[in-house]
Structures are given as C-alpha cells and as structure tokens.
Amino acid sequence: MSETTMTLPGIVITGASGRMGQMLVRTVSASNQARLVACLERPGHAWIGQDVGIAMGGPVLGVTVSDDPLEAFSKAQAVIDFTAPQATVEFAALAAQARAVHVIGTTGLEAAHLARLSAAARHAVIVRAGNMSLGVNLLVQLTRKVAEALDADFDIEVVEAHHRHKVDAPSGTALMLGEAAAAGRGVNLAEVSDSGRDGITGARGRGRIGFAAIRGGDIVGEHDVIFAGEGERIVLRHVATDRTIFARGALRAALWGQDREPGEYSMADVLGL
Ligand SMILES: NC(=O)C1=CN([C@@H]2O[C@H](COP(=O)(O)OP(=O)(O)OC[C@H]3O[C@@H](n4cnc5c(N)ncnc54)[C@H](OP(=O)(O)O)[C@@H]3O)[C@@H](O)[C@H]2O)C=CC1
Ligand SMILES: O=C(O)C1=N[C@H](C(=O)O)C[C@H](O)C1
C-alpha cells in the first residue's frame, strides 16, 4: 500500500454479507478516496475468518471478516452500518468510544433506539438517513415545498414498494417523505399518520397523511408521494433500480463527516440541501 493510500480514511463495513453490506464493500474497495480496513459479521457467521472478496465470490480484497467491532473500529475513521436496529445502537456506542464517524442506513429504528443514538452523538459524528440517495433526498425537499403550497383539500398518500425480504414498514424513506409532508403542512406526523388500513376503516379523514406498503420480488425501492385533490392529482416519484446509489451516498457521508463536530447529521446536511 502506498503512503498516499495509507492516509485515506479507513472504513469498516458492518453486516458485510448483507445486500447493502456487499454493495458497500464493492463501493468502498473501488474508491480512491477511502480504504476498506475491516468487515464485520456476527459471531458464528460462515464468513468469519474469510477474505471478504473471496466470501463474495470475487477476487481477494485483503480484508478478513471479523466478529470483533471494537478492534475493527479502533483502526477506522468511519463505520458504515446498514444492519438492524439492535445491532446499530450497539455499534453506535462502540463507534463513539473509538471517535469514528458512524454512518447509519439502518431503518426501523424506534424512539428508544433513537435516544441511544443521540447519547452516542454527544461524543462522535453520526450521519443517519432512511435513504442515502441524492434523488430521494431531493424528493424530500420537493415534498415539503408541494405540501407547503397546497392545503388539506389535497389528500397526501405515501406509497412504497420493496423486495420480499424487507422487514420494516413503512420504509425509512416513506417516513422521511411523510415527515417532510407534515412539516410542509405545519403539523406533527404522529398526530395525522394513517398506516396499514384494513377492513371498515371509515372515510378518509381530512388532513391525514396515509402510508401504504407493497412487498414483492426484487424491487429495490420505489416511492410515490400522491397529492390527490378534486379533479387533479400530483404524484412525486422516485424509483431506485440499483443499490449503488445508497452505497455511494453512504461513502460520501463517511468522508463528509471527517473532522466535523460531534452531533447528529442527515443526508440533507451532507448534500447541502
Ligand atoms: N438508508 C438507506 O439508504 C438504505 C437503508 N437500507 C436499510 O439497511 C438495512 C439492511 O438492509 P439489507 O442490506 O437489505 O439487509 P440484509 O438482511 O441483507 O443485511 C443485513 C446485514 O446485517 C447483519 N446483522 C443483522 N443483525 C445483526 C447483528 N445483531 N449483529 C451483526 N450483524 C447483524 C445481517 O447478518 P445476518 O444475516 O447474520 O442476520 C446482514 O449481514 C435495513 O434496515 C434496510 O432498510 C437498505 C438500503 C438503503
Ligand atoms: O430495505 C431496503 O431495501 C431499503 N430500505 C430503505 C428504506 O427503508 O426506505 C431505503 C431503500 O428504499 C431500500
């Protein structure tokens, strides 16, 4: 490794065998702005002890998959984490201890998880977003603007579609879009949210923000924000066709977070939106 390469920020990928984990390993190892320094999986995982490139069915990458986060984080400047809520809060405490930037793509986080992330962010930088793509983060801004411009004569519905393996609903992106719509309207999402309608639900309430989720096949991620009025309808849409958009966003966040003050940041901060 050259001296210049050694000075690049070192990145750890958690959940390296996952759909996003593998995409992140490819993106970081191909980057000339960062170094892949460690890959993590849980104890007992079949990949532990193997070279991550070989485990992925490709060429040797020179990084052995480990189950020791503390040791991995101690040699890194950033941790990119697309795993599951419980794992993410545990990684946040360890990343803060190591003063490594923690980029969190994990969705399905509840209030108790978010409180633990806020505690960790007192000591280190956390960048978290339910969607790390440029397109969705622009869509969030557009949603807020359209919601600001229209009154409650326009019903707002967020419809999302994902692959059959997704475990949380509404998606993290749908919630970001719902929050943006609520902010545009000057209301609190928790007070107007309708999700999972089924049976005799009664007529739609004025001013509610609805969510619907589709799960099937290999859909990467699709989101519509519908503003439905009398005689017209506005639909804002984002369609993801390749997970590299999320991985590129996450790497950008990891680089952006270097030398920032401890705290909680979003992709809107990273992208300057
Ligand atoms: N913000 C964004 O832009 C995006 C966010 N996501 C989110 O990222 C997350 C992961 O998605 P995806 O890659 O599709 O999921 P996968 O299930 O494919 O991958 C998750 C990985 O995390 C590992 N993991 C889960 N729990 C633990 C744990 N307790 N300790 C260590 N490792 C653990 C899994 O290991 P094991 O198999 O052993 O359970 C697996 O390797 C989801 O929350 C998803 O919504 C996804 C795409 C974009
Ligand atoms: O689980 C996924 O796959 C995705 N999750 C994120 C979400 O919950 O919105 C982002 C993207 O849509 C893919």
Side-chain angles (χ1 to χ4, degrees), residues 5 8 25-36 251 255:
T5 311
L8 296 176
V25 168
R26 282 191 206 97
T27 301
V28 173
S29 57
S31 169
N32 57 13
Q33 293 179 286
R35 288 175 299 137
L36 181 65
L251 175 56
L255 298 174

Side-chain angles (χ1 to χ4, degrees), residues 21 143 192:
T143 299
V192 298

Side-chain angles (χ1 to χ4, degrees), residues 12-25 38-42 45 47 52 65-66 79-84 87 91:
V12 178
I13 310 292
T14 61
S17 75
R19 277 173 290 278
M20 278 307 300
Q22 295 194 44
M23 190 55 79
L24 286 158
V25 168
C39 284
L40 290 171
E41 262 305 338
R42 4 167 164 238
H45 192 280
W47 285 23
V52 69
V65 182
S66 143
V79 176
I80 304 186
D81 177 17
F82 287 61
T83 54
F91 290 141

Side-chain angles (χ1 to χ4, degrees), residues 236-269:
L236 303 180
R237 168 172 296 168
H238 182 267
V239 178
T241 54
D242 189 326
R243 289 187 175 84
T244 53
I245 60 171
F246 311 129
R248 281 202 305 264
L251 175 56
R252 185 166 173 173
L255 298 174
W256 178 91
Q258 300 302 311
D259 302 322
R260 301 263 161 199
E261 288 300 309
E264 292 182 87
Y265 300 92
S266 69
M267 268 320 269
D269 297 316

Side-chain angles (χ1 to χ4, degrees), residues 107 130-131 162-163 166 168 171-173 220-221 223 246:
T107 58
N131 195 304
H162 284 88
H163 53 93
K166 186 159 178 64
D168 55 311
S171 68
T173 311
V220 174
H223 293 86
F246 311 129

